[in-house]
Amino acid sequence: MSDIIQLLPDHVANQIAAGEVVQRPASVVKELLENAIDAKSTQINLLVKDAGKTLIQVSDNGIGMSITDARLSFERHATSKIKVADDLFSLKTKGFRGEALASIAAIAHIDLKTKKADEEIGTHLLLKGSEVISQEPCVTPNGTMVSIKNLFFNIPARRNFLKSDAVEMRHIIDEFHRVALAHPQITFSLHHNDNELFQLPKANQRQRIVAIFGGKTNEKLVPVEEETEVVNIKGFVGKPEFARKTRGEQFFFVNNRFIKSGYLHHAINAAYEGLLQDKKYPAYFLFLEVDPKSIDINIHPTKTEIKFDDEHAIYAILRSAVKHSLGQFDITPSLDFSHNPDLDTPYHYKDKNPEMPKVEVDRNFNPFKQESFSKGSHASFPTSKPKQKDWESLYTGLNPKDSSGISNIEFESEEITGDLFSGNIEDTQQGMFQLQKKYIVSTIKGGMLVIHQNRAHYRILYEEFLKSITVEATLSQQLLFPLVLKFSLPEIKMLKEVKNSLEQIGFDFEKITEEEVKICGIPTMVSESEVALVLDEVLADLEQNIPKQENQHTRILAESLAKNTAIKSGTVLNPEEQNSIVNRLFACKEPGVTPENEVVFIRLNAEDLDKKFM
Ligand code: ADP
Ligand code: MG
């Protein structure tokens, strides 16, 4: 019988390897940036077109390659970074497997220009699907410029599998963040389709974080520092009150390499125990330095997982270091002599002369006209919060547990979602009270209703916001002093996308620049002090639920705004407010459930009560 085993041709082997190394454009970005760093560059520019589907280009000012090295770099297992197996245990470089360029070459068109500082002339190499098309001398600056075009051109299945540009771009930005955070001493830039997304000058660690995530990050950071025999820890964690709904800003670096570790993540969560609200994620940027011999980074082809020899010790040290820092920050203000004080104040009140509020008088007002009296005065004053004044207290007293009063009454009842108040809304004016700062109890014909105040308000605001976005714009309360809020570039991008809708709701943007927005008007139901937080949450929600169609955008926006501005459980409501909620709730299209399908109220019939007394 003849032998049947064959060696795979190189280009096939490379394509298979590519499947492991290159999942999407972002994987290419990661490999190219890492190569540029290994080449000792001090300036690295990344340019992508169509979220990397058309072009990914990285240019650096590093050591460059000789004519032969340039050619060799695309061979499998061609690396300049390890020579003997022992080198594997003292790695100081990002790459070492020598398969990135070979893999990428197998599935794309490559254009490489490179020159070493001590050589007169550079070399220009063109490849297409592992095949060298040409190599010629060329004039090019010191360093390397690699352009990857038409990724997956020869694997249509992979190409079709790519997500929308927005999603792929997010992955690219994530990789860019990881690399840029780990190397603040290197200047980075990122351009997408001729838009500059990031321009990061050489900086210290804190400045780099702020440059990426926006000026308001600065005040949120608490430094962490711990030196032990097993591990040195440096970096920052976010103050608990700034924890967000997304996991976005969580970074571990081990020996300057971004890694994912559920185990270490758990250590951080343990340090925050009792300090966070439900489902909130703290920010962290932590840099662990360990002996390269004590880790194994070889266990995953994309090298984001890692194995420590001394995992338990590192867990314990990390947890206690973070806990210690969190315990300190509110007593001793963190001093950072290199920081830019401009970044500290979120609102730029400086250099502003207060403006006198304008009083508008209705010149047609005729006090003798009977009708005017019945409607009240026509003269309108710029009250900052017309009817909603009462809602100012909506954001205080968040802890529903400490409420006094009747507790633990158990209701057994059916849920209803139907039309309840046909004809007897008036009944609710009397016989209404608040229970446990959480429910509004209202008597109705034949029984009573128990209404979840937070959910009811959520439903009300949701429908109102939807209406203002899609049908008629609502009034905005003009601010005496415009608010200036800082955001990161991706957040600014998102804001611009939903700007129109936000304006319909009552936001008034005077200016949106690359890193801040100037707001001169806000919706009446949002208090000024809450604007930053609400916008933060809304952007987090939009980021998490990337909408496919325009109208989904609107829905997510309305939902998020409503959720974040609805009165919380634990808020005391006066009778007028209770009444307003009940009336507005039953004017809703779907009063029975929240936009997330949670029950808003239940009905207890007299018979149900009767049964209790039998
Ligand atoms: P690895 O990084 O694992 O060594 P790669 O396939 O990514 O493997 O790169 C192969 C080799 O090509 C590297 O070892 C390095 O010598 C060279 N190389 C790649 N990119 C650059 C660059 N930007 N500047 C200088 N040399 C580079
Ligand atoms: Mg590499």
Side-chain angles (χ1 to χ4, degrees), residues 188-204:
F188 285 95
S189 74
L190 167 56
H191 288 80
H192 182 217
N193 295 342
D194 305 324
N195 294 322
E196 179 185 284
L197 297 189
F198 290 96
Q199 187 62 254
L200 308 172
K202 181 177 182 317
N204 68 20

Side-chain angles (χ1 to χ4, degrees), residues 225-293:
E225 200 152 0
E226 182 74 67
E227 292 193 3
T228 69
E229 300 227 315
V230 192
V231 58
N232 289 343
I233 302 170
K234 261 193 172 167
F236 299 90
V237 293
K239 293 178 187 169
E241 66 264 37
F242 292 113
R244 306 209 348 183
K245 286 207 300 203
T246 45
R247 278 169 174 272
E249 296 168 11
Q250 300 188 324
F251 298 88
F252 278 123
F253 299 87
V254 174
N255 296 356
N256 259 356
R257 184 192 294 278
F258 172 82
I259 59 134
K260 289 180 187 146
S261 164
Y263 186 67
L264 294 187
H265 175 74
H266 192 269
I268 306 284
N269 277 348
Y272 274 89
E273 203 182 298
L275 296 173
L276 293 176
Q277 284 175 35
D278 251 12
K279 293 189 192 135
K280 291 263 180 164
Y281 299 98
Y284 55 79
F285 309 86
L286 292 166
F287 298 81
L288 282 64
E289 214 55 60
V290 296
D291 182 349
K293 288 195 187 68

Side-chain angles (χ1 to χ4, degrees), residues 255-389:
N255 296 356
N256 259 356
R257 184 192 294 278
F258 172 82
I259 59 134
K260 289 180 187 146
S261 164
Y263 186 67
L264 294 187
H265 175 74
H266 192 269
I268 306 284
N269 277 348
Y272 274 89
E273 203 182 298
L275 296 173
L276 293 176
Q277 284 175 35
D278 251 12
K279 293 189 192 135
K280 291 263 180 164
Y281 299 98
Y284 55 79
F285 309 86
L286 292 166
F287 298 81
L288 282 64
E289 214 55 60
V290 296
D291 182 349
K293 288 195 187 68
S294 74
I295 49 171
D296 181 2
I297 40 182
N298 216 354
I299 58 175
H300 197 269
T302 57
K303 296 165 291 197
T304 54
E305 277 160 38
I306 203 167
K307 223 165 92 41
F308 298 94
D309 286 352
D310 217 343
E311 219 172 34
H312 293 301
I314 292 179
Y315 182 101
I317 295 165
L318 188 60
R319 188 185 57 179
S320 93
V322 172
K323 215 172 174 159
H324 182 76
S325 294
L326 288 174
Q328 293 237 303
F329 82 84
D330 49 6
I331 316 161
T332 39
S334 68
L335 289 177
D336 181 41
F337 294 104
S338 52
H339 94 225
N340 176 355
D342 263 2
L343 303 171
D344 276 355
T345 357
Y347 314 140
H348 288 198
Y349 284 119
K350 295 173 287 185
D351 319 323
K352 300 253 153 53
N353 294 323
E355 277 169 38
M356 281 303 288
K358 291 189 206 93
V359 177
E360 281 173 27
V361 178
D362 181 357
R363 298 187 192 282
N364 297 325
F365 172 55
N366 175 357
F368 300 105
K369 219 169 151 191
Q370 196 54 39
E371 181 203 21
S372 323
F373 279 109
S374 58
K375 275 197 196 162
S377 167
H378 268 194
S380 62
F381 293 91
T383 44
S384 63
K385 291 183 186 182
K387 267 173 273 170
Q388 266 84 356
K389 201 160 188 314

Side-chain angles (χ1 to χ4, degrees), residues 348-506:
H348 288 198
Y349 284 119
K350 295 173 287 185
D351 319 323
K352 300 253 153 53
N353 294 323
E355 277 169 38
M356 281 303 288
K358 291 189 206 93
V359 177
E360 281 173 27
V361 178
D362 181 357
R363 298 187 192 282
N364 297 325
F365 172 55
N366 175 357
F368 300 105
K369 219 169 151 191
Q370 196 54 39
E371 181 203 21
S372 323
F373 279 109
S374 58
K375 275 197 196 162
S377 167
H378 268 194
S380 62
F381 293 91
T383 44
S384 63
K385 291 183 186 182
K387 267 173 273 170
Q388 266 84 356
K389 201 160 188 314
D390 293 328
W391 302 114
E392 278 191 339
S393 61
L394 298 186
Y395 303 93
T396 49
L398 201 104
N399 192 355
K401 285 189 197 106
D402 65 14
S403 54
S404 52
I406 323 159
S407 59
N408 295 333
I409 296 184
E410 234 189 79
F411 294 111
E412 284 171 23
S413 77
E414 52 180 317
E415 289 170 4
I416 43 151
T417 51
D419 188 3
L420 275 173
F421 279 104
S422 32
N424 54 353
I425 287 252
E426 258 83 279
D427 292 357
T428 63
Q429 307 255 343
Q430 305 93 32
M432 184 143 55
F433 65 93
Q434 199 187 11
L435 179 68
Q436 286 200 311
K437 298 190 210 158
K438 191 171 174 186
Y439 302 105
I440 301 169
V441 181
S442 161
T443 50
I444 49 164
K445 219 185 228 163
M448 65 182 188
L449 282 182
V450 183
I451 300 164
H452 194 291
Q453 68 188 41
N454 166 260
R455 292 182 184 179
H457 201 213
Y458 181 12
R459 162 55 65 183
I460 293 166
L461 291 179
Y462 173 71
E463 294 201 5
E464 289 179 358
F465 282 137
L466 259 192
K467 198 165 145 209
S468 10
I469 298 173
T470 52
V471 190
E472 48 186 295
T474 42
L475 281 176
S476 139
Q477 50 167 325
Q478 292 299 302
L479 300 172
L480 215 47
F481 305 101
L483 274 177
V484 178
L485 302 178
K486 302 234 179 228
F487 288 100
S488 67
L489 245 162
E491 286 174 330
I492 291 278
K493 245 185 97 195
M494 185 70 84
L495 257 179
K496 282 185 180 159
E497 273 173 45
V498 294
K499 177 169 172 271
N500 284 347
S501 302
L502 288 171
E503 283 172 347
Q504 291 280 104
I505 286 170

